[in-house]
Amino acid sequence: MKITEENVAEQLLVKNEKALFFIVDEYGSIIKSIIKKYLGNLEIIQDECLDDVLLLVWQNIASYDKNKNSLKNWIAAITKYKSIDYQRQYKKFLHQQEIEEHMLVDFNNAETKIMENTLSSETEQLLSSLKKEDQLLFLQHYGEQKSIEELAKEHGVHRSVLYNRLSRGRKKLRTAFRNRFNN
């Protein structure tokens, strides 16, 4: 049987798949333009919405009344409201993503601050076993990541002197560390 504008609704009622192809051929451009109006350039969501519109037409054709509206307008209304639903879902998804991202950033910031405070107080206690000038040298070299060459120029000493001071300092710190945790 040939599907026409007059019998397409009846053929959808008896679940003739050719009628659905007719809907896509006849009203596909209208459906796509309505979806695009509400969903912009979100092509993945547009395709999903199009599939849902066609499924709704297929499943709910019994609620179509040709005395109230044309099939074209009925399908356009279904498309509009399904597109709006997808738009809301997408906005809700984006909002949820923002909330999760903020929560993760806040959690990471709090965790970092706790670690910094813990490390800084423990580091200060360990570094207190060194002379003030060696403490400064350790902080500049290991904390600020300054090279030995930079530090040698700043302090006006030879590189070998800095290597010796860092080596002796590490030995003192190891001893202080062992004493702290063995007691």
Side-chain angles (χ1 to χ4, degrees):
M1 169 175 239
K2 182 169 171 72
I3 308 295
T4 64
E5 191 73 42
E6 290 77 34
N7 71 358
V8 68
E10 295 163 7
Q11 291 302 308
L12 284 170
L13 269 171
V14 294
K15 303 300 183 199
N16 183 346
E17 289 182 18
K18 290 180 182 176
L20 196 57
F21 289 116
F22 180 84
I23 296 293
V24 171
D25 291 341
E26 286 295 311
Y27 306 119
S29 60
I30 294 169
I31 294 170
K32 287 179 183 178
S33 66
I34 293 170
I35 291 172
K36 191 165 188 129
K37 176 182 176 184
Y38 289 96
L39 298 178
N41 294 323
L42 305 169
E43 291 181 24
I44 295 171
I45 297 175
Q46 287 178 11
D47 292 342
E48 196 174 318
C49 184
L50 175 65
D51 293 343
D52 280 356
V53 167
L54 294 173
L55 183 64
L56 284 171
V57 168
W58 180 260
Q59 291 175 338
N60 296 307
I61 190 66
S63 66
Y64 166 66
D65 184 357
K66 64 181 176 184
N67 297 324
K68 290 183 179 178
N69 224 340
S70 69
L71 183 62
K72 177 180 168 181
N73 288 344
W74 183 75
I75 292 172
I78 289 174
T79 305
K80 175 184 175 183
Y81 293 115
K82 185 47 86 173
S83 298
I84 291 170
D85 285 347
Y86 268 89
Q87 188 182 52
R88 286 182 189 139
Q89 288 173 358
Y90 185 71
K91 285 180 181 177
K92 188 177 181 179
F93 171 76
L94 288 179
H95 181 69
Q96 186 63 34
Q97 291 295 97
E98 285 178 22
I99 290 172
E100 288 176 9
E101 189 174 302
H102 286 297
M103 287 173 61
L104 184 61
V105 167
D106 289 345
F107 177 75
N108 285 341
N109 287 343
E111 188 176 69
T112 301
K113 285 180 182 177
I114 290 169
M115 289 300 292
E116 284 174 356
N117 290 340
T118 303
L119 287 176
S120 65
S121 65
E122 288 179 8
T123 305
E124 283 178 23
Q125 288 176 351
L126 286 173
L127 287 176
S128 67
S129 65
L130 300 176
K131 296 178 192 172
K132 289 287 182 195
E133 58 189 33
D134 288 341
Q135 288 178 19
L136 179 62
L137 179 63
F138 263 76
L139 291 173
Q140 288 176 328
H141 183 63
Y142 294 110
E144 297 172 19
Q145 302 290 315
K146 288 187 177 181
S147 69
I148 295 293
E149 288 76 21
E150 284 180 89
L151 293 171
K153 286 179 186 175
E154 282 181 27
H155 292 271
V157 294
H158 197 270
R159 292 182 336 180
S160 62
V161 172
L162 294 178
Y163 281 120
N164 287 336
R165 285 176 52 194
L166 288 170
S167 176
R168 288 185 198 119
R170 284 192 302 268
K171 287 179 184 174
K172 282 185 182 179
L173 289 175
R174 264 189 233 111
T175 304
F177 185 77
R178 286 185 190 127
N179 290 340
R180 184 165 183 241
F181 290 104
N182 287 337
N183 291 333

